[in-house]
CSV table of all heavy atoms in Angstrom, one decimal:
chain,number,residue,atom,x,y,z
A,239,PRO,N,-11.4,12.2,20.3
A,239,PRO,CA,-11.2,11.5,21.5
A,239,PRO,C,-10.2,12.1,22.5
A,239,PRO,O,-10.2,11.7,23.7
A,239,PRO,CB,-10.6,10.1,21.0
A,239,PRO,CG,-9.9,10.5,19.7
A,239,PRO,CD,-10.7,11.6,19.2
A,240,LEU,N,-9.4,13.0,22.0
A,240,LEU,CA,-8.3,13.7,22.9
A,240,LEU,C,-8.4,15.2,22.7
A,240,LEU,O,-8.9,15.6,21.7
A,240,LEU,CB,-6.9,13.2,22.4
A,240,LEU,CG,-6.6,11.7,22.6
A,240,LEU,CD1,-5.3,11.4,21.9
A,240,LEU,CD2,-6.5,11.3,24.1
A,241,PRO,N,-7.9,15.9,23.7
A,241,PRO,CA,-7.8,17.4,23.4
A,241,PRO,C,-7.0,17.7,22.1
A,241,PRO,O,-6.1,17.0,21.8
A,241,PRO,CB,-7.0,17.9,24.7
A,241,PRO,CG,-7.3,16.9,25.7
A,241,PRO,CD,-7.3,15.5,25.0
A,242,PHE,N,-7.5,18.8,21.5
A,242,PHE,CA,-6.9,19.0,20.2
A,242,PHE,C,-5.4,19.2,20.2
A,242,PHE,O,-4.7,18.6,19.3
A,242,PHE,CB,-7.5,20.4,19.6
A,242,PHE,CG,-6.7,20.9,18.5
A,242,PHE,CD1,-6.7,20.3,17.3
A,242,PHE,CD2,-5.9,22.1,18.7
A,242,PHE,CE1,-6.0,20.8,16.2
A,242,PHE,CE2,-5.2,22.6,17.7
A,242,PHE,CZ,-5.2,22.0,16.4
A,243,LEU,N,-4.8,19.9,21.2
A,243,LEU,CA,-3.4,20.1,21.2
A,243,LEU,C,-2.6,18.8,21.4
A,243,LEU,O,-1.5,18.6,20.9
A,243,LEU,CB,-3.0,21.1,22.3
A,243,LEU,CG,-3.3,22.6,21.9
A,243,LEU,CD1,-3.0,23.5,23.1
A,243,LEU,CD2,-2.5,23.0,20.7
A,244,VAL,N,-3.3,17.8,22.1
A,244,VAL,CA,-2.6,16.5,22.3
A,244,VAL,C,-2.6,15.8,20.9
A,244,VAL,O,-1.6,15.2,20.6
A,244,VAL,CB,-3.4,15.7,23.3
A,244,VAL,CG1,-2.9,14.2,23.4
A,244,VAL,CG2,-3.4,16.3,24.7
A,245,CYS,N,-3.7,15.9,20.1
A,245,CYS,CA,-3.7,15.3,18.8
A,245,CYS,C,-2.6,15.9,17.9
A,245,CYS,O,-1.9,15.2,17.2
A,245,CYS,CB,-5.0,15.6,18.1
A,245,CYS,SG,-6.4,14.7,18.9
A,246,ALA,N,-2.5,17.3,18.0
A,246,ALA,CA,-1.4,17.9,17.2
A,246,ALA,C,0.0,17.5,17.6
A,246,ALA,O,0.9,17.3,16.8
A,246,ALA,CB,-1.6,19.5,17.3
A,247,GLY,N,0.1,17.4,19.0
A,247,GLY,CA,1.4,17.0,19.5
A,247,GLY,C,1.7,15.5,19.1
A,247,GLY,O,2.9,15.2,18.8
A,248,LEU,N,0.7,14.7,19.0
A,248,LEU,CA,0.9,13.3,18.6
A,248,LEU,C,1.4,13.3,17.1
A,248,LEU,O,2.3,12.5,16.8
A,248,LEU,CB,-0.4,12.5,18.8
A,248,LEU,CG,-0.3,11.0,18.4
A,248,LEU,CD1,0.6,10.3,19.3
A,248,LEU,CD2,-1.7,10.4,18.5
A,249,ILE,N,0.8,14.1,16.3
A,249,ILE,CA,1.2,14.2,14.9
A,249,ILE,C,2.7,14.6,14.8
A,249,ILE,O,3.5,14.0,14.0
A,249,ILE,CB,0.3,15.2,14.1
A,249,ILE,CG1,-1.1,14.6,14.0
A,249,ILE,CG2,0.9,15.5,12.7
A,249,ILE,CD1,-2.1,15.6,13.5
A,250,GLY,N,3.1,15.6,15.6
A,250,GLY,CA,4.4,16.1,15.6
A,250,GLY,C,5.4,15.0,16.1
A,250,GLY,O,6.5,14.8,15.5
A,251,LEU,N,5.1,14.3,17.2
A,251,LEU,CA,5.9,13.3,17.7
A,251,LEU,C,6.1,12.1,16.8
A,251,LEU,O,7.2,11.6,16.6
A,251,LEU,CB,5.4,12.8,19.0
A,251,LEU,CG,5.6,13.7,20.3
A,251,LEU,CD1,4.8,13.2,21.5
A,251,LEU,CD2,7.1,13.9,20.6
A,252,VAL,N,5.0,11.7,16.1
A,252,VAL,CA,5.1,10.6,15.2
A,252,VAL,C,6.0,11.0,14.0
A,252,VAL,O,6.8,10.2,13.5
A,252,VAL,CB,3.7,10.2,14.7
A,252,VAL,CG1,3.7,9.3,13.5
A,252,VAL,CG2,2.9,9.5,15.8
A,253,THR,N,5.8,12.2,13.5
A,253,THR,CA,6.6,12.7,12.4
A,253,THR,C,8.1,12.7,12.8
A,253,THR,O,9.0,12.3,12.0
A,253,THR,CB,6.2,14.0,11.9
A,253,THR,OG1,4.8,14.0,11.5
A,253,THR,CG2,7.0,14.5,10.8
A,254,PHE,N,8.4,13.1,14.0
A,254,PHE,CA,9.8,13.2,14.5
A,254,PHE,C,10.4,11.8,14.5
A,254,PHE,O,11.5,11.6,14.0
A,254,PHE,CB,9.8,13.8,15.9
A,254,PHE,CG,11.2,13.7,16.6
A,254,PHE,CD1,12.1,14.7,16.3
A,254,PHE,CD2,11.5,12.7,17.4
A,254,PHE,CE1,13.4,14.6,16.9
A,254,PHE,CE2,12.8,12.6,18.0
A,254,PHE,CZ,13.7,13.6,17.7
A,255,ALA,N,9.7,10.8,15.1
A,255,ALA,CA,10.2,9.5,15.2
A,255,ALA,C,10.4,8.9,13.8
A,255,ALA,O,11.5,8.2,13.5
A,255,ALA,CB,9.3,8.6,16.0
A,256,LEU,N,9.4,9.0,12.9
A,256,LEU,CA,9.5,8.4,11.6
A,256,LEU,C,10.6,9.1,10.7
A,256,LEU,O,11.2,8.5,9.9
A,256,LEU,CB,8.2,8.4,10.9
A,256,LEU,CG,7.2,7.5,11.5
A,256,LEU,CD1,5.8,7.6,10.7
A,256,LEU,CD2,7.6,6.0,11.4
A,257,SER,N,10.8,10.4,11.0
A,257,SER,CA,11.8,11.1,10.2
A,257,SER,C,13.2,10.6,10.6
A,257,SER,O,14.1,10.5,9.7
A,257,SER,CB,11.7,12.6,10.5
A,257,SER,OG,10.5,13.1,10.0
A,258,VAL,N,13.4,10.4,11.9
A,258,VAL,CA,14.7,9.8,12.3
A,258,VAL,C,15.0,8.5,11.6
A,258,VAL,O,16.1,8.2,11.1
A,258,VAL,CB,14.8,9.6,13.9
A,258,VAL,CG1,16.0,8.8,14.3
A,258,VAL,CG2,14.8,10.9,14.6
A,259,ALA,N,13.9,7.6,11.7
A,259,ALA,CA,14.1,6.3,11.0
A,259,ALA,C,14.3,6.5,9.5
A,259,ALA,O,15.1,5.8,8.9
A,259,ALA,CB,12.8,5.5,11.2
A,260,ALA,N,13.6,7.5,8.9
A,260,ALA,CA,13.7,7.7,7.4
A,260,ALA,C,15.1,8.1,7.0
A,260,ALA,O,15.6,7.6,6.0
A,260,ALA,CB,12.7,8.7,7.0
A,261,VAL,N,15.7,9.0,7.7
A,261,VAL,CA,17.1,9.4,7.4
A,261,VAL,C,18.1,8.2,7.5
A,261,VAL,O,18.9,8.0,6.6
A,261,VAL,CB,17.6,10.5,8.3
A,261,VAL,CG1,19.0,10.9,8.0
A,261,VAL,CG2,16.7,11.8,8.1
A,262,GLU,N,17.9,7.4,8.5
A,262,GLU,CA,18.7,6.2,8.7
A,262,GLU,C,18.5,5.2,7.6
A,262,GLU,O,19.5,4.7,7.1
A,262,GLU,CB,18.5,5.6,10.1
A,262,GLU,CG,18.9,6.4,11.3
A,262,GLU,CD,20.4,6.4,11.3
A,262,GLU,OE1,21.1,5.7,10.6
A,262,GLU,OE2,21.0,7.2,12.1
A,263,ILE,N,17.3,5.0,7.2
A,263,ILE,CA,17.0,4.1,6.1
A,263,ILE,C,17.6,4.7,4.8
A,263,ILE,O,18.2,3.9,4.0
A,263,ILE,CB,15.5,3.9,5.9
A,263,ILE,CG1,14.9,3.1,7.1
A,263,ILE,CG2,15.1,3.2,4.6
A,263,ILE,CD1,13.4,3.1,7.2
A,264,GLY,N,17.4,6.0,4.6
A,264,GLY,CA,18.0,6.6,3.4
A,264,GLY,C,19.5,6.4,3.3
A,264,GLY,O,20.1,6.2,2.2
A,265,LYS,N,20.2,6.5,4.5
A,265,LYS,CA,21.6,6.4,4.5
A,265,LYS,C,22.0,4.9,4.1
A,265,LYS,O,23.1,4.7,3.5
A,265,LYS,CB,22.2,6.7,5.9
A,265,LYS,CG,22.1,8.1,6.3
A,265,LYS,CD,22.4,8.4,7.7
A,265,LYS,CE,23.8,7.9,8.1
A,265,LYS,NZ,24.1,8.2,9.6
A,266,ARG,N,21.2,4.0,4.4
A,266,ARG,CA,21.5,2.6,4.2
A,266,ARG,C,20.9,1.9,2.9
A,266,ARG,O,21.5,1.1,2.3
A,266,ARG,CB,21.1,1.7,5.4
A,266,ARG,CG,21.9,2.0,6.7
A,266,ARG,CD,21.3,1.4,7.9
A,266,ARG,NE,22.2,1.5,9.0
A,266,ARG,CZ,22.4,2.6,9.7
A,266,ARG,NH1,21.8,3.7,9.4
A,266,ARG,NH2,23.2,2.6,10.8
A,267,ALA,N,19.7,2.3,2.7
A,267,ALA,CA,18.9,1.5,1.6
A,267,ALA,C,18.6,2.4,0.4
A,267,ALA,O,18.1,1.8,-0.6
A,267,ALA,CB,17.6,1.0,2.2
A,268,GLY,N,18.8,3.7,0.4
A,268,GLY,CA,18.4,4.4,-0.8
A,268,GLY,C,16.9,4.7,-0.8
A,268,GLY,O,16.2,4.6,0.2
A,269,ASP,N,16.4,5.1,-2.0
A,269,ASP,CA,15.0,5.6,-2.1
A,269,ASP,C,14.1,4.6,-2.6
A,269,ASP,O,13.0,5.0,-3.1
A,269,ASP,CB,15.0,6.9,-3.0
A,269,ASP,CG,15.4,6.5,-4.5
A,269,ASP,OD1,16.0,5.4,-4.6
A,269,ASP,OD2,15.2,7.3,-5.3
A,270,ARG,N,14.4,3.3,-2.4
A,270,ARG,CA,13.5,2.3,-3.0
A,270,ARG,C,12.1,2.3,-2.4
A,270,ARG,O,11.2,1.8,-3.1
A,270,ARG,CB,14.1,0.9,-2.8
A,270,ARG,CG,15.3,0.7,-3.8
A,270,ARG,CD,16.0,-0.6,-3.5
A,270,ARG,NE,16.8,-0.5,-2.3
A,270,ARG,CZ,17.6,-1.4,-1.8
A,270,ARG,NH1,17.6,-2.6,-2.3
A,270,ARG,NH2,18.3,-1.2,-0.7
A,271,PHE,N,12.0,2.8,-1.2
A,271,PHE,CA,10.7,2.6,-0.5
A,271,PHE,C,9.9,3.9,-0.3
A,271,PHE,O,8.8,4.0,0.2
A,271,PHE,CB,10.9,2.0,0.9
A,271,PHE,CG,11.6,0.7,0.8
A,271,PHE,CD1,12.9,0.6,1.4
A,271,PHE,CD2,11.1,-0.4,0.2
A,271,PHE,CE1,13.6,-0.6,1.3
A,271,PHE,CE2,11.8,-1.6,0.2
A,271,PHE,CZ,13.1,-1.7,0.7
A,272,SER,N,10.5,5.0,-0.8
A,272,SER,CA,9.9,6.3,-0.5
A,272,SER,C,8.5,6.5,-1.2
A,272,SER,O,7.6,6.9,-0.6
A,272,SER,CB,10.8,7.5,-0.9
A,272,SER,OG,11.1,7.4,-2.3
A,273,ALA,N,8.4,6.1,-2.4
A,273,ALA,CA,7.2,6.2,-3.2
A,273,ALA,C,6.1,5.3,-2.6
A,273,ALA,O,5.0,5.7,-2.4
A,273,ALA,CB,7.4,5.9,-4.7
A,274,GLN,N,6.5,4.1,-2.2
A,274,GLN,CA,5.5,3.2,-1.6
A,274,GLN,C,5.0,3.7,-0.2
A,274,GLN,O,3.8,3.6,0.1
A,274,GLN,CB,6.1,1.8,-1.3
A,274,GLN,CG,6.4,1.0,-2.6
A,274,GLN,CD,7.8,1.3,-3.2
A,274,GLN,OE1,8.3,2.4,-3.0
A,274,GLN,NE2,8.4,0.3,-3.8
A,275,ALA,N,5.8,4.4,0.5
A,275,ALA,CA,5.4,5.0,1.8
A,275,ALA,C,4.4,6.1,1.6
A,275,ALA,O,3.4,6.2,2.2
A,275,ALA,CB,6.7,5.6,2.5
A,276,GLU,N,4.6,6.9,0.5
A,276,GLU,CA,3.6,8.0,0.3
A,276,GLU,C,2.3,7.4,-0.2
A,276,GLU,O,1.2,7.9,0.1
A,276,GLU,CB,4.2,9.0,-0.8
A,276,GLU,CG,5.3,9.9,-0.3
A,276,GLU,CD,5.6,11.0,-1.2
A,276,GLU,OE1,4.8,11.9,-1.4
A,276,GLU,OE2,6.7,10.9,-1.9
A,277,VAL,N,2.3,6.4,-1.1
A,277,VAL,CA,1.1,5.7,-1.5
A,277,VAL,C,0.3,5.2,-0.3
A,277,VAL,O,-0.9,5.3,-0.2
A,277,VAL,CB,1.4,4.6,-2.6
A,277,VAL,CG1,0.2,3.8,-2.8
A,277,VAL,CG2,1.9,5.3,-3.9
A,278,ALA,N,1.0,4.5,0.6
A,278,ALA,CA,0.4,3.9,1.7
A,278,ALA,C,-0.3,5.0,2.6
A,278,ALA,O,-1.4,4.8,3.0
A,278,ALA,CB,1.4,3.1,2.6
A,279,GLY,N,0.4,6.1,2.8
A,279,GLY,CA,-0.1,7.2,3.6
A,279,GLY,C,-1.4,7.8,2.9
A,279,GLY,O,-2.3,8.0,3.6
A,280,GLY,N,-1.4,7.9,1.6
A,280,GLY,CA,-2.5,8.4,0.9
A,280,GLY,C,-3.7,7.5,1.0
A,280,GLY,O,-4.9,7.9,1.2
A,281,VAL,N,-3.5,6.2,0.9
A,281,VAL,CA,-4.6,5.2,1.0
A,281,VAL,C,-5.2,5.3,2.4
A,281,VAL,O,-6.4,5.2,2.6
A,281,VAL,CB,-4.1,3.8,0.7
A,281,VAL,CG1,-5.1,2.7,1.1
A,281,VAL,CG2,-3.7,3.6,-0.7
A,282,VAL,N,-4.4,5.4,3.5
A,282,VAL,CA,-4.9,5.5,4.8
A,282,VAL,C,-5.7,6.8,5.0
A,282,VAL,O,-6.8,6.7,5.6
A,282,VAL,CB,-3.7,5.6,5.8
A,282,VAL,CG1,-4.1,6.0,7.2
A,282,VAL,CG2,-3.0,4.2,5.9
A,283,LEU,N,-5.3,7.9,4.5
A,283,LEU,CA,-6.1,9.1,4.6
A,283,LEU,C,-7.5,9.0,3.9
A,283,LEU,O,-8.5,9.4,4.5
A,283,LEU,CB,-5.3,10.3,4.0
A,283,LEU,CG,-4.1,10.8,4.8
A,283,LEU,CD1,-3.4,11.9,4.1
A,283,LEU,CD2,-4.5,11.3,6.2
A,284,ILE,N,-7.5,8.4,2.7
A,284,ILE,CA,-8.7,8.2,2.0
A,284,ILE,C,-9.6,7.3,2.8
A,284,ILE,O,-10.8,7.6,2.9
A,284,ILE,CB,-8.5,7.7,0.6
A,284,ILE,CG1,-7.8,8.7,-0.3
A,284,ILE,CG2,-9.7,7.2,-0.1
A,284,ILE,CD1,-7.3,8.2,-1.6
A,285,GLY,N,-9.1,6.2,3.3
A,285,GLY,CA,-9.9,5.2,4.1
A,285,GLY,C,-10.5,5.9,5.3
A,285,GLY,O,-11.7,5.6,5.6
């Protein structure tokens, strides 16, 4: 639906934003949710 480079840029931007949030969560909450996040991502890709 979008030019390829825009799609790649979107992937990079989303990763940037979520990585900022992840470090902050890690500083405050520990690793309790990291495995659940990876499982959720895997299910989305398969779907």
Side-chain angles (χ1 to χ4, degrees):
L240 297 169
F242 163 71
L243 284 176
V244 174
C245 295
L248 183 61
I249 291 170
L251 285 172
V252 167
T253 302
F254 173 84
L256 288 178
S257 296
V258 170
V261 176
E262 289 293 348
I263 291 170
K265 287 168 64 176
R266 291 168 171 77
D269 64 347
R270 284 172 287 180
F271 308 112
S272 60
Q274 290 89 329
E276 286 192 75
V277 169
V281 170
V282 168
L283 288 175
I284 291 171

